[in-house]
Amino acid sequence: MNPRVRSSTLLAVVMLLVSGCGLEVVDTTYGRARDKSINGTGALAELFRGRGHAVRTAVRLSDELADWADVIVRFAPDAGPPEQKEAEWYLRWLNQIGDRRMIYVVRDYSALADYWRETLDHLPKAGADDLRSRAATLRDEAIKQDEHEAVWAKKVARPEDWFAVNPSKDPPTTSKTLEGSWSEGVDPSRARLPRHETLKVDSETVLLEGDGKPLVIDWTLFNESRVLVAANASFLVNGALLNPARRPLAMRTVRWVGDEPLNVAFVEGRYLLSGPPAGPSVFSLLTIWPFGWVVAQLLVLGLAACLARAPRLGRPRPEPSSGEDRPVAHPEALGSLLARIGQAADARAILETYRRWRNPSSQTRVNPLPASVDSTEKPSPPESLEHE
């Protein structure tokens, strides 16, 4: 790493400590190439690009990925062997065309403790007691977090098809010795590779051992496709590569795929073959006290509201008659309207006209009142009233 870049990185770490930030300020997201996390894989992806390989990321195991990728790099979200269905997809992909490469990294490491160790190593020995004390506290907290039991997938691949691990009940420890072809030129005391759950070996080739325990193995399939498995990511993720003694192991991982430019896919995420599981149904609350009673009452009220708004079934009721079938209803309605607005004389005139039109034999005529006559007064019989 460039000394200037390294100095600026350490300065940023010191500024975090000075500002009083806690452990949560350090991004520890695991296994993603685009995140700026100490557990990310962006540095490893850049090493592949530096060797001339084309690098992409994928979150689904699809036919398009199978056709494009020559190499798949998988930082597993779980400890132990790969999940069963995921492993079956990889096996079909490896067997489909020969000379493919698969790098599988078991999740059994977090770079957080090493991150604070590197910070302590590069802080001044004198005049920075508060900073050193805070960094030491954060390192110890990170070590305690690493001691929790690893989580395995519910169903894992068969050891005959993939590999098996030796579960450890003890907390992670540092490998005092390194053996194997990959250990050449690596100082164990400076590399400080952690060792926890190690790999079981049958017919595989051991590339790296820590204290006699296999840490990196590989094997070749019948069609010349190859698989490499690392027991942890202690020399592959971003934070781990802050230690220069571990970088040769990362470069040997990159060179393992070959010198010819290839298409390298970093597979990320947990749900590679399907979406995340659906959330619990509201009906599951019925079995939880006291939520069951509350949810039951809400369901009954909701059902009643739905029934109230639902359309009524059965024989429809007839609408009230509008009088459209009675011709007399029209003048009656008009006369009523004129009477309401104080036009009684006009109403009588219209009604008289209608009667004459309706009954031509009737010769009764009623002269309308003058417009000036108050409609509230009783009018006297008109002089012109005649009976024919």
Side-chain angles (χ1 to χ4, degrees):
M1 181 182 293
N2 189 307
R4 292 184 179 178
V5 176
R6 187 167 190 172
S7 299
S8 63
T9 303
L10 294 175
L11 178 61
V13 173
V14 172
M15 290 301 294
L16 286 175
L17 293 172
V18 171
S19 64
C21 296
L23 186 64
E24 64 274 9
V25 301
V26 182
D27 187 358
T28 58
T29 305
Y30 186 83
R32 295 189 178 274
R34 297 183 180 180
D35 293 339
K36 296 180 180 179
S37 167
I38 58 174
N39 288 327
T41 59
L44 182 63
E46 288 301 321
L47 291 179
F48 276 103
R49 291 189 180 97
R51 296 278 295 177
H53 302 295
V55 179
R56 294 182 182 177
T57 59
V59 295
R60 290 287 186 272
L61 299 179
S62 62
D63 294 339
E64 180 182 359
L65 173 66
D67 295 336
W68 182 84
D70 302 310
V71 181
I72 288 181
V73 181
R74 174 60 165 160
F75 282 74
D78 300 314
E83 192 272 334
Q84 183 179 10
K85 292 184 178 180
E86 182 181 343
E88 291 173 355
W89 191 95
Y90 294 141
L91 196 59
R92 289 194 300 270
W93 174 76
L94 288 167
N95 292 330
Q96 184 179 9
I97 299 176
D99 205 26
R100 285 176 165 173
R101 304 287 184 268
M102 174 82 194
I103 298 176
Y104 191 90
V105 183
V106 181
R107 182 166 186 175
D108 194 25
Y109 170 78
S110 173
L112 190 57
D114 287 337
Y115 177 84
W116 294 118
R117 287 193 187 98
E118 288 292 320
T119 303
L120 275 170
D121 291 345
H122 292 86
L123 286 174
K125 302 296 182 181
D129 294 341
D130 292 342
L131 296 179
R132 294 186 61 82
S133 175
R134 182 164 178 76
T137 300
L138 295 173
R139 176 204 59 194
D140 295 341
E141 291 178 358
I143 292 174
K144 291 180 180 179
Q145 288 183 359
D146 291 342
E147 293 178 359
H148 66 81
E149 185 178 358
V151 178
W152 286 39
K154 293 183 179 180
K155 293 183 179 181
V156 298
R158 299 189 310 166
E160 296 83 1
D161 296 329
W162 285 88
F163 61 91
V165 301
N166 296 305
S168 177
K169 298 181 179 179
D170 299 324
T173 186
T174 300
S175 298
K176 298 180 180 179
T177 62
L178 295 176
E179 299 87 18
S181 59
W182 279 23
S183 66
E184 184 178 352
V186 180
D187 186 352
S189 60
R190 294 180 57 199
R192 294 185 297 194
L193 288 182
R195 174 176 57 80
H196 188 217
E197 293 185 345
T198 57
L199 303 173
K200 291 183 178 180
V201 178
D202 186 8
S203 58
E204 299 86 358
T205 301
V206 179
L207 302 178
L208 181 67
E209 291 182 341
D211 297 333
K213 304 293 185 179
L215 299 179
V216 181
I217 61 175
D218 76 341
W219 66 89
T220 303
L221 279 65
F222 69 94
N223 61 353
E224 300 303 321
S225 292
R226 299 174 63 191
V227 180
L228 182 142
V229 177
N232 58 60
S234 58
F235 54 89
L236 296 173
V237 295
N238 298 337
L241 296 179
L242 289 174
N243 186 344
R246 299 181 182 180
R247 295 173 196 165
L249 296 175
M251 288 303 305
R252 284 165 188 168
T253 303
V254 175
R255 294 193 184 100
W256 177 85
V257 305
D259 297 329
E260 180 183 355
L262 300 171
N263 295 330
V264 180
F266 278 68
V267 178
E268 302 175 352
R270 181 177 296 275
Y271 306 104
L272 301 179
L273 296 172
S274 62
S281 171
V282 67
F283 295 101
S284 62
L285 294 176
L286 293 172
T287 61
I288 303 176
W289 174 264
F291 298 104
W293 288 102
V294 177
V295 173
Q297 294 177 27
L298 292 176
L299 290 176
V300 171
L301 290 176
L303 180 61
C306 292
L307 292 176
R309 297 180 62 89
R312 298 180 179 179
L313 303 178
R315 183 177 297 175
R317 296 179 179 178
E319 296 290 339
S321 176
S322 63
E324 295 180 355
D325 55 339
R326 297 175 57 247
V328 72
H330 299 284
E332 287 176 352
L334 182 58
S336 175
L337 178 60
L338 292 173
R340 289 173 60 186
I341 62 176
Q343 300 294 332
D346 294 338
R348 289 192 185 95
I350 293 173
L351 289 174
E352 178 61 23
T353 303
Y354 172 74
R355 291 191 188 100
R356 290 181 178 181
W357 170 81
R358 188 69 177 171
N359 300 309
S361 60
S362 176
Q363 300 298 323
T364 303
R365 293 181 298 177
V366 179
N367 292 334
L369 293 176
S372 61
V373 178
D374 188 357
S375 61
T376 61
E377 298 179 357
K378 184 176 180 181
S380 58
E383 297 178 355
S384 58
L385 183 59
E386 297 180 357
H387 297 278
E388 297 180 357

